[in-house]
Amino acid sequence: EFTFIRRSGFYFGFLFGLIQMGVFFVYDASWVLPFFGFLVGWATNWVALKVIFRPLNPIKIGCFSLHGIFLKRQMEVSETFARVNCVEILHTKAIWEEILSGPKSKNFFAMLRAHSIVFTERLVGGMKPITIAAMGSQQFSEMKEEIAQKIADKLPSVMPHSYEYTTEALDMENTIRERMQKLPYPEFEGVLHPAFEEDEILLILVGGLLGLVAGGIQVVAMY
C-alpha cells in the first residue's frame, strides 16, 4: 500500500500539475505556484489514501474491477493484522500484566480472594464441622483469608509458567484472522481504517507543505 502511495504521487501529481500549469499560463501571479503546489500536494496524497479503502465494494467496469486496495487483499491483510496484534499488543504476557497491575487489578484480586475462599470451603468439604470444632470459627476464617492472600501473593511469579499454554488455549491469532476474513467489506474497513486516520491527516498535510515548498522554489527560479 505504501508502495502504491509513492507511485501514485507521481501519476496524480503529474495530472494535477497539468491543471496548475494551465492556470499559471492564464494567470501568472507569483502566489499561484505556491498556492497550487500546496493544493496539488494535498490532493495527490488525499486521493492516493482514499483509493486504499474506496470503493468499499467491487465495482465492475468492463474487464476492470475497482476496489479498495486493502479490501481486495482482505485475506492477506487479516492474517498480518492478527499476527501483529497478537505478537505486539494482545500477547499473553501483556494481558496478565494488565490484569495484575492495571487500573482494574483491585477488582481482579477481590474476585480472586472470593474464589479462593470458596475453593478452601469446598476443599474442606464435609470435614468443615470437625475443622471448626478443632480450630474455632475465628481461626478457620483467618485460615481461609491467609490462603487467599498467599495465592494472591504467589500468582504474579507463577503466571509466567502458563504463558505458552494460555497462548495455545486462547488461540487468539487464528480466531482474529478467521473472524476478520469473514467480515463484510464495510465492517472490515471499519476495523482497519481508524488505525490509519491519524497518520492519514499527517501524510496529507506533509504532501501539501512539500507542494508549497516546491511551488516557492519554482517562483524563486522563475523570478
Side-chain angles (χ1 to χ4, degrees), residues 94-106:
I95 292 173
W96 272 110
E97 286 177 350
E98 182 68 17
I99 291 173
L100 296 175
S101 58
K104 300 293 186 180
S105 60
K106 288 184 179 180

Side-chain angles (χ1 to χ4, degrees), residues 110-120 151:
M111 182 176 64
L112 178 64
R113 171 188 168 278
H115 281 283
S116 298
I117 290 174
V118 171
F119 171 77
T120 305
I151 292 173

